[in-house]
Amino acid sequence: MTVAPPTPPFDLAEAMKSLAEHDHALKLLIDQTQPFQMDPDHLQSPYEALLEAIAYQSISGKAAATIFARIKALSSTGRAPTPEEMLGLRKQALRKAGLSGAKVLAMKDLAKKTIQGVVPTLEQAQKLSDEELIERLTSVRGIGVWTVEMFLIFRLGRPDVLPIHDLGVKKGWSITYGKKHMPKPKELLAFGERWRPYRTVASWYMWRACHHAGNAAMRKIRPAKVRRRAPKPRSPRKPESAKSRRKQP
């Protein structure tokens, strides 16, 4: 029996209609690729989702999955260690699992702030705005805005998140709109106004554009153009006075 993919917590049909009406290039991309879908772990708490996100930072997905499996093996439940367990784990054990020293400190701080209530429960998180969650969660060591944006998209299913610093979103934009350069974050933010209030769906399709185009096309895209400032004209040198010339040896 085929199981249908889970539906997002917003009206997907309305989202697709709105995006297609406001962006012809995006409509073509939607027609060429697979339907939008997300597959969150509905048992995963915000603490667990962020703990996994820290493990995945700056390394390949395969390596991160191996490391995170070792971390879960340190727990008594087979899932991620609880905040109390994480605080009780020796740094040496976490380093042996494959974490960097910075990630060990980040996970310890995440556990501490979860116990303190800074990191909300799932029920609490669902009642907080995107801005409130970004402010609270970025207070945790090692968690930046991008990590929280991924949490908002893939764990909470928020409909209007646009990760303007995400490499895949920027390259996908360049592919979709036939640009040789990636957009600057401010440029992407301004362009994304046409996608409101479903910027999450549009971002997801930018990732699909990268997958559809392949690595060869991705490598051709250049970084955002940097406007070079013209050098300031030098002020003419003042002529030396007779007095200053006399002082020279």
Side-chain angles (χ1 to χ4, degrees), residues 209-247:
C210 292
H211 181 80
H212 187 70
N215 291 332
M218 293 267 286
R219 285 192 292 268
K220 292 180 181 178
I221 299 171
R222 302 168 189 169
K225 289 183 179 180
V226 178
R227 183 177 296 176
R228 295 181 179 179
R229 293 182 180 180
K232 293 182 179 180
R234 294 183 179 181
S235 57
R237 294 181 62 182
K238 294 181 180 180
E240 293 179 309
S241 65
K243 185 177 179 181
S244 65
R245 287 198 298 269
R246 285 198 299 268
K247 288 183 179 180

Side-chain angles (χ1 to χ4, degrees), residues 3 12-13 31 51 63 80 83 98 122 127 134 165 168 173 188 213 217 232 241-242 245:
V3 179
L12 182 56
D31 292 340
L51 195 75
L122 182 59
K127 297 175 182 178
I134 288 172
H165 296 283
W173 181 90
L188 183 56
K232 293 182 179 180
S241 65
R245 287 198 298 269

Side-chain angles (χ1 to χ4, degrees), residues 126-142:
Q126 289 168 340
K127 297 175 182 178
L128 295 171
S129 69
D130 293 356
E131 293 74 20
E132 288 171 321
L133 283 166
I134 288 172
E135 183 178 356
R136 287 176 65 162
L137 297 179
T138 53
S139 70
V140 178
R141 181 177 184 136

Side-chain angles (χ1 to χ4, degrees), residues 83-98:
E84 292 77 11
E85 285 178 326
M86 176 55 66
L87 289 178
L89 288 171
R90 297 178 62 188
K91 291 182 181 180
Q92 185 178 357
L94 293 168
R95 293 280 282 149
K96 190 175 180 180

